[in-house]
């Protein structure tokens, strides 16, 4: 299928980009890697008046060490994230989840920022963002502001970015030593979206879980933290399978999972518990 | 209309394009590079896979304007001086195609896979080709072909050094 | 005379395919690749309503859009578009509604074409569709077959929702079930499938004002030509149909489509070449769907497992209209519900039902996978009921090797088979006993991941078909196939085949056959197909018929060529034709070294200086072969699955297929067909389903929703063969295109159910999604 016509601008800097976006009005859309947007355009499910292509904005690319956090530029591709030594060393959960996004060709074009700004609750990275309390850096003509991940994902395909704002990058806090990570994705085929996914980070000390951060994919119209599980898991022995299972049983609390061809809400609630248990076990052993 | 410059299989083209023109339509309808087919609307099937600046992309999910200044390699540019690439030979030898519609994309995705991992095991091959659908072969012979090509390509590299 | 011949027969060799050269280099000729000067692009506006009266269509605004040359509604074609054909009136009273290629008054499924635009390029055409205004008056959708048959149901067509009821009965079924020690009574659902050939359909039509050339991504250029002539009134001799490279079909391109008819009519109106290429979304909506049956199967058996009789009652969803062979598809299964087993009674009833969905039609296996699924699932239920090993139950019932030829309860005569050999080989390759031991261990340990073993022993009727049989089933055409074999002056050979490949490798396999038949090198043969101008006669490719019917036509044509050559050789060698013997390309005078090669004879024939009296200077021949019987491939497939009872996830751990497709012309091609067939059967078992919502909207319009397995979702398959030649044709071949698909679906589902028996699970509806498997475990455990 074929996209409807649109105007196109390709700014060469972030300043130009935010100006272009503001000038283009409210029906404009930012084009990042296009791996989610292009199918929507082709199916004519989106009719932007203008696409602001931020693919050639140098400030938006790359991964930097910024002390207590890692900055990942919004236009860093999934493939570049996967190959970043810094990401792998300091934010392994990001690498683990990114490796499950779509397929290699899509990961060559699709971007870290694009996937987050698209805010698909079935996407793998939003759950990681909330689990790790990433800080989203938004730029507009009025300057820069930071939005905590918890407040960034508002609803299905909806973020806290205002009109005229571009997600410039993400600050991923470094968690320090003692953490283990796992991303548990459950889907029907390798290419399919997650029915449910669980992003888990677990800090261990002397065989005991001291702290856990758990993000849930596709359990509501936005990514969720499994707060009750995080509470329940504190102090449990990393090898105590039964106790961890008991803690994971809280995973479905305060969720509002969708119903679609791949599963009803009750099945998803059940899966969230099973997968959270598995993610905890794997993260605790990692 | 934006003017772009793209190099496709070694030939540089300057073309005016509508912003919405898909790279795959630029290749097929404007440049006559019909070796790269289209199989879906949603970037699932991978039939349209080409290399863009050395990395696999699905050309149905890239705008031609996004490909400005880039170097595109399609299935048609894979042979050199009439000699088939080891992947083309291996797909033929292992009967890794039937109708052949997915083959250009499958070969280009395999090329990218072997760039990343010159000696993949079967699982890595299957995972690496997860974005390319074939309805004819059941994939067994495609996996064998990629394995065979990997051996030939690494052998060549070894002898070259 | 020179000796240039290989001594190894070509038939049986793993020849690499000739067609690959263009396919691996991108030098293909898909229909969408064709660009003609001045070509216009067609786009169709499709109904968003499952069922509605069209009250207004206004294309005038579309006509004013940039680049638009024309725009039409169904009304514009009403007088000339005719009705899309159904070639299989299965009963005399079958309801066969008018099927306008473009809807005029009423739409009956989502996706039905209601208008179109013709523009200078595909982008402009897509844009202009949005300017067409259509008003609908909604009518109630008809989606559920059982509801559709109830009195008072909304009607899809005025004549009602029942298309036909077709019955077959043999033996005393009542007696078989009366006092039967064991009766298995099961209901299965064959979900609706989307064939999903990788190449979307495309049509190009060109005209010189007098004649029309239509290119289409079709399996059936010959049938299409006849049908287009009958539908549009364009005389057959002014219509040329070309199937260029075709990217897969699996039955989905065995059709006369609305778009083919309409593009022809548009070309005729505008006098310009036109092209239409569907998007995948359009394809999912409007390429005919497959399967969609509700099956009720009952088996009456003795306590020792011997089958007394089988009773089958089907509802088959026709969709909104009857297309080319829609009503016949379930009936191709009618003769297969007895499978490879002996019994005394069999009763089959099928009712075709109209719904407001895309019509169904042939999809790989067409009727036979459905039958095999219900039978093989029910056989496993019987084995479970009796506490018998499922292999043992089958052994007790199958036709023994020494009993062939065997006339089945369904009235077919199976010419050959060796179920024992195939099964033994499969069991050995599979490691059956070891897997059973592991299964017992996992059950003992209450492992949350359980192991299941599924078996499927199948046969199928293929090589469609003896014309006489097709006639007795009221099919509208014959089942013969045609071939021309021409030896050129230089000794090279052209073969014109009436079969029409779309991935099967005919260019290679036919070359192998001809190389043996005429004693010429494999490389010296070229195969011409898929163009009614060069291949004037054919019945095309479907139903695993190309080799078993078309291959034999080639053999017969070669025999005629040899006979002509023998006459000429005898004359040149000054011997009696009776004294000439043919051996690997050389015609020799018996008992001497004196001979002529076929190449020498070809040249001599071309020169025609010294031919026997009355012999024409030509070394070519035609043959049309009509088989006397179907062929009956068979095999045993075994599947081991791991089922995660906590999530419902199913992983295929190993898969073994031993198929007997008779003589093998090219083992590479055969193995490839089996691999692909298994993958499609697994697709049905685990992943694929066309889903309509309660309003009749298709929810699975993209490949993101209709899940096809990728390499990462399938295991390696272990395949092997036994070779029991068919006795019904001179090559001993049977056909292999559909075997894998027929066998694999029940093998996989049997394995899943087998894994879950300890949980009280006796069925999981297809596709066995994780959610369905999980629910089955929950419900089984609760009961």
């Amino acid at each position: 299928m074929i996209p409807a016509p649109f105007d196109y601008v390709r700014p060469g800097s972030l300043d130009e980009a935010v100006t272009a976006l503001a000038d283009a009005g409210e029906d404009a859309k930012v084009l990042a890697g296009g791996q989610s947007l292009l199918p929507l355009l082709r199916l004519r499910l989106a009719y932007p008046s203008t696409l602001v292509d931020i693919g050639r904005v140098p400030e938006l690319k790359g991964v930097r060490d910024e002390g207590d956090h890692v900055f990942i530029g919004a236009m860093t591709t999934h493939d570049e994230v996967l190959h970043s030594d810094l990401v792998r060393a300091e934010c392994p959960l990001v690498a683990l989840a990114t490796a499950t996004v779509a397929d290699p060709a899509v990961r060559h074009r699709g971007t870290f920022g694009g996937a987050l700004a698209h805010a698909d609750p079935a996407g793998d990275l939003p759950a990681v963002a909330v689990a790790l309390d990433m800080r989203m850096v938004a730029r507009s003509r009025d300057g820069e502001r930071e939005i905590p991940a918890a407040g960034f994902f508002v609803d299905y395909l909806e973020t806290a970015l205002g009109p005229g704002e571009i997600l410039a990058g993400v600050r991923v806090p470094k968690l320090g030593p003692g953490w283990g990570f796992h991303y548990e994705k459950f889907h029907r085929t390798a290419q399919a979206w997650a029915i449910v996914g669980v992003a888990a980070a677990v800090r261990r000390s002397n065989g005991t879980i001291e702290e856990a951060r758990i993000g849930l994919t596709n359990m509501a119209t936005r990514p969720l933290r499994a707060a009750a599980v995080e509470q329940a898991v504190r102090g449990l022995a990393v090898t105590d399978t039964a106790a961890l299972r008991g803690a994971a049983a809280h995973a479905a609390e305060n969720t509002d999972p969708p119903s679609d061809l791949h599963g009803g809400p009750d099945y998803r609630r059940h899966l969230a518990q099973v997968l959270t248990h598995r993610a905890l076990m794997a993260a605790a052993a990692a | 209309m934006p003017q772009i410059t793209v190099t496709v299989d070694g030939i540089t083209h300057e073309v005016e394009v509508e912003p919405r023109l898909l790279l795959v339509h630029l290749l097929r309808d404007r440049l006559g590079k019909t070796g790269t087919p289209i199989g879906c609307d949603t970037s699932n099937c991978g039939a349209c896979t080409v290399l863009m600046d050395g990395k696999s992309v699905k050309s149905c999910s890239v705008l031609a304007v996004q490909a400005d200044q880039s170097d595109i390699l399609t299935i048609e540019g894979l042979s050199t001086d009439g000699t088939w690439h080891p992947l083309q030979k291996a797909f033929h030898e292992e009967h890794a195609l039937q109708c052949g519609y997915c083959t250009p994309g499958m070969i280009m995705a395999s090329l990218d896979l072997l760039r990343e991992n010159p000696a993949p095991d079967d699982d890595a091959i299957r995972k690496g080709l997860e974005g390319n659908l074939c309805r004819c072969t059941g994939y067994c012979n495609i996996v064998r072909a990629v394995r065979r090509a990997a051996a030939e390509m690494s052998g060549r590299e070894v002898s070259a050094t | 005379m020179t000796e240039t011949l290989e001594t190894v027969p070509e038939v049986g060799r793993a020849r690499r395919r000739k067609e690959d050269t263009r396919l691996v280099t991108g030098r293909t000729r898909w229909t969408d690749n064709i660009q003609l000067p001045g070509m216009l692009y067609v786009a169709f506006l499709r109904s968003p309503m499952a069922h509605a009266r069209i009250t207004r269509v206004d294309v005038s605004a579309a006509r004013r859009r940039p680049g638009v040359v024309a725009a039409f509604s169904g009304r514009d074609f009403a007088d000339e578009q005719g009705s899309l054909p159904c070639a299989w009136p299965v009963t005399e009273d079958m309801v066969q509604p008018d099927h306008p290629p473009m809807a005029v008054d009423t739409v009956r499924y989502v996706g039905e074409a209601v208008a179109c635009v013709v523009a200078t390029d595909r982008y402009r055409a897509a844009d202009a569709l949005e300017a067409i205004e259509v008003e609908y008056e909604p009518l109630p959708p008809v989606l559920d077959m059982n509801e559709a048959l109830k009195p008072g149901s909304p009607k899809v067509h005025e004549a009602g929702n029942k298309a036909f009821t077709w019955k077959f009965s043999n033996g005393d079924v009542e007696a078989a079930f009366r006092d039967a020690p064991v009766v298995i009574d099961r209901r299965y659902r064959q979900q609706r499938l989307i064939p999903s050939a990788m190449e979307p359909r495309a049509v190009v039509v060109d005209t010189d004002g007098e004649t029309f050339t239509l290119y289409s991504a079709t399996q059936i250029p010959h049938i299409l030509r006849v049908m287009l002539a009958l539908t549009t009134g364009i005389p057959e001799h002014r219509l040329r149909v070309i199937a260029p490279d075709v990217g897969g079909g699996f039955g989905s391109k065995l059709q006369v489509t609305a778009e083919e008819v309409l593009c022809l009519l548009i070309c005729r109106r505008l006098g310009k070449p036109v092209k239409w290429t569907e998007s995948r979304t359009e394809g999912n909506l409007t390429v005919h769907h497959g399967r969609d049956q509700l099956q009720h199967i009952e088996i009456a058996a003795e306590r020792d497992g011997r089958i007394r009789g089988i009773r089958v009652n089907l509802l088959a969803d026709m969709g909104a209209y009857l297309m080319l062979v829609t009503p016949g598809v379930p009936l191709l299964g009618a003769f297969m519900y007895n499978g490879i087993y002996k019994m005394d009674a069999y009763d089959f009833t099928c009712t075709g039902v109209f719904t407001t969905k895309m019509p169904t039609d042939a999809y790989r296996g067409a009727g036979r996978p459905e039958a095999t699924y219900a039978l093989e699932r029910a056989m496993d239920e019987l084995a479970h009921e009796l506490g018998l090993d499922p292999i043992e139950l089958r052994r007790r019932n199958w036709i023994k090797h020494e009993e062939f030829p065997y006339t089945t309860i369904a009235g077919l005569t199976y010419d050959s088979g060796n179920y024992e050999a195939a099964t033994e080989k499969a069991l050995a390759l599979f490691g059956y006993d070891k897997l059973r031991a592991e299964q017992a261990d996992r059950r003992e340990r209450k492992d949350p991941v359980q192991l299941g073993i599924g078996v499927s022993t199948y046969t199928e009727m293929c090589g469609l078909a003896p014309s006489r049989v097709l006639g007795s089933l009221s099919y509208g055409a014959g089942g013969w196939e045609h071939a021309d074999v021409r030896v050129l002056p230089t000794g090279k050979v052209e073969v014109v085949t009436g079969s029409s490949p779309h991935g099967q490798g005919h260019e290679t396999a036919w070359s192998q056959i001809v190389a043996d038949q005429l004693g010429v090198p494999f490389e010296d043969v070229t195969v011409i197909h898929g163009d009614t101008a060069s291949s004037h006669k054919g019945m095309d490719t479907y139903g695993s018929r190309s080799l078993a019917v078309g291959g034999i036509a080639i053999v017969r044509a070669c025999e005629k060529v040899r006979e002509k050559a023998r006459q000429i050789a005898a004359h040149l060698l000054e011997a009696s034709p009776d004294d000439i013997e043919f051996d690997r390309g050389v015609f020799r005078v018996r008992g001497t070294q004196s001979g002529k090669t076929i190449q020498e004879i070809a040249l001599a024939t071309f020169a025609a200086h010294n031919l026997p009296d009355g012999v024409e200077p030509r070394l070519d021949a035609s043959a049309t072969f009509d088989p006397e019987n179907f062929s009956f491939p068979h095999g045993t497939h075994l599947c081991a699955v791991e089922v995660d009872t906590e999530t419902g996830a199913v992983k295929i751990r190993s898969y073994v297929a031993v198929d007997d497709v008779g003589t093998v012309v090219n083992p590479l091609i055969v193995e490839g067909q089996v691999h692909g067939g298994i993958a499609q059967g697994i697709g049905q078992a685990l992943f694929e389903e066309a889903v309509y919502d309660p309003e009749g909207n298709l929810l699975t319009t993209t490949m993101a929703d209709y899940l096809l397995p990728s390499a990462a979702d399938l295991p390696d398959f272990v395949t092997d063969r036994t070779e029991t030649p068919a006795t019904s044709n001179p090559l001993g071949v049977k056909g292999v295109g559909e075997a894998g698909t027929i066998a694999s679906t029940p093998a996989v589902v049997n394995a899943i159910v087998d894994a879950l028996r300890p949980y009280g699970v006796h069925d999981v509806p297809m596709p066995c999604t994780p959610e369905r498997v999980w629910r089955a475990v929950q419900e089984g455990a609760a009961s």
Side-chain angles (χ1 to χ4, degrees), chain B residues 114-127:
Chain B
L114 295 179
R115 174 185 60 80
E116 283 267 324
N117 180 358
D121 62 16
D122 284 7
D123 279 350
I125 295 169
R126 285 178 179 276
K127 196 88 182 71

Side-chain angles (χ1 to χ4, degrees), chain A residues 1-5 43-44 47 186 188-193 195 245 261-264 266-267 270-271 274-275 278, chain C residues 122-123 126-127 130 279 281 644 646-647 649 686-687 691 699-700 705 707-708 710 712-713 769-771 774-775:
Chain A
M1 289 179 94
I2 289 155
L43 297 171
R44 298 204 176 197
Y47 285 81
F186 190 83
R188 284 181 57 199
T189 60
Q191 259 196 349
W193 295 93
I195 300 176
R245 187 189 295 274
L261 293 175
H262 311 304
D266 60 332
Y267 176 58
H270 167 78
L271 274 183
V274 173
L275 302 177
R278 291 180 184 181
Chain C
R122 48 179 122 224
Y123 281 58
D127 293 346
E130 298 187 340
S279 69
T281 304
D644 183 336
E646 292 181 342
T647 62
L686 296 182
F687 303 116
V691 182
L699 298 178
T700 49
D705 309 303
L707 298 183
L708 301 172
S710 75
D713 304 302
T769 64
E771 183 184 30
W774 176 74
R775 289 195 193 285

Side-chain angles (χ1 to χ4, degrees), chain C residues 258-270:
Chain C
E259 293 81 2
E260 287 162 335
V261 172
L262 292 168
C263 285
L264 186 54
L265 298 181
I266 293 165
C267 176
R268 181 164 71 176
R269 278 201 185 201
L270 302 179

Side-chain angles (χ1 to χ4, degrees), chain C residues 507-531:
Chain C
E507 292 166 35
T508 305
W510 289 190
S511 296
Q512 290 179 263
I513 292 171
V514 171
D516 278 358
Q517 291 292 323
L518 297 183
V520 297
F522 170 77
E523 294 77 11
D524 285 2
V525 185
T526 194
V527 176
I528 296 165
H529 58 76
D531 179 346

